[in-house]
Amino acid sequence: AAAAALQAQGVATAVHFPVPDHQQPGIALHSRIAHELPHTEAACRTVLSLPCFPELRADEVDHVADVLAAIPS
């Protein structure tokens, strides 16, 4: 819901880590914890990355904050 609300107001979001580290192919083959980190897995499904880069202007930061504040919790 938050991603859609942000997108509707022209704010790009992304999920930068959709697959937890312990499930990455190079690690999962050698790991005993392959499905034992439910909090990590939940975070990978729900945590969004917001715009964050050096050229982001103060008015753009304000816009992102305003859109986030308007999303019902």
Side-chain angles (χ1 to χ4, degrees):
L6 288 158
Q7 181 68 30
Q9 294 298 316
V11 178
T13 64
V15 177
H16 282 112
F17 301 101
V19 179
D21 287 348
H22 69 284
Q23 292 178 349
Q24 295 288 339
I27 296 172
L29 291 173
H30 305 289
S31 175
R32 292 187 215 134
I33 60 171
H35 289 286
E36 300 175 9
L37 297 173
H39 296 287
T40 299
E41 293 163 18
C44 286
R45 288 189 302 271
T46 59
V47 173
L48 291 176
S49 295
L50 298 173
C52 181
F53 50 92
E55 296 84 10
L56 195 62
R57 299 184 319 263
D59 64 306
E60 293 170 321
V61 173
D62 290 341
H63 177 65
V64 172
D66 291 342
V67 173
L68 284 171
I71 297 171
S73 43

